[in-house]
Amino acid sequence: MTADRSNTSRWAHVAERLPVHLEDLSGPAAGTVELPLHLTWSGLRSFDIGDEKLLLGLYRIVLTNGLRDDLIGYLNAELLVRHWPRLRIAVGKPVRTCWEQRFPELVAAVAA
């Protein structure tokens, strides 16, 4: 017999990682960020935030693999909102859905 999971979101593990407020994202807005091995175990680890391609790669990695402390420490709320229209495509449906349900300002950024 299977457990009834109708009240449990299949993406609860993603939602549990989210910050309480978007403003909690206090990551750098400029400079270079070096991610730890638990986020980038192979490939590029250093990202120049001034380079949009590298910024999008950094944010995709952190949004997809990061724990709450990673999200808060590496993501910047203003940059996330500004780049959300492109990021939302790169992160996949579970991440996109959870972030947009929690933070309506991201949905507004897409509509703008």
Side-chain angles (χ1 to χ4, degrees):
M1 186 154 121
T2 15
D4 179 17
R5 295 183 181 202
S6 60
N7 292 328
T8 305
S9 168
R10 13 184 257 199
W11 301 320
H13 67 285
V14 176
E16 290 168 359
R17 298 179 304 132
L18 299 182
V20 176
H21 306 285
L22 200 57
E23 298 78 31
D24 293 341
L25 302 178
S26 58
T32 300
V33 172
E34 183 153 338
L35 291 178
L37 286 173
H38 75 271
L39 291 174
T40 57
W41 47 92
S42 68
L44 186 64
R45 291 187 56 210
S46 186
F47 299 84
D48 177 0
I49 292 176
D51 181 321
E52 185 176 20
K53 184 177 178 180
L54 292 176
L55 171 74
L56 294 173
L58 165 74
Y59 275 47
R60 182 189 56 75
I61 291 167
V62 175
L63 286 164
T64 304
N65 302 320
L67 302 174
R68 183 179 308 218
D69 287 344
D70 298 319
L71 298 170
I72 290 169
Y74 293 113
L75 302 180
N76 176 282
E78 183 181 325
L79 291 176
L80 179 66
V81 172
R82 182 182 321 151
H83 293 282
W84 186 251
R86 290 186 62 197
L87 282 167
R88 70 186 303 273
I89 296 164
V91 296
K93 187 175 180 176
V95 173
R96 176 176 59 244
T97 300
C98 288
W99 279 84
E100 289 181 350
Q101 285 177 349
R102 175 82 53 95
F103 305 112
E105 52 265 64
L106 295 176
V107 177
V110 174

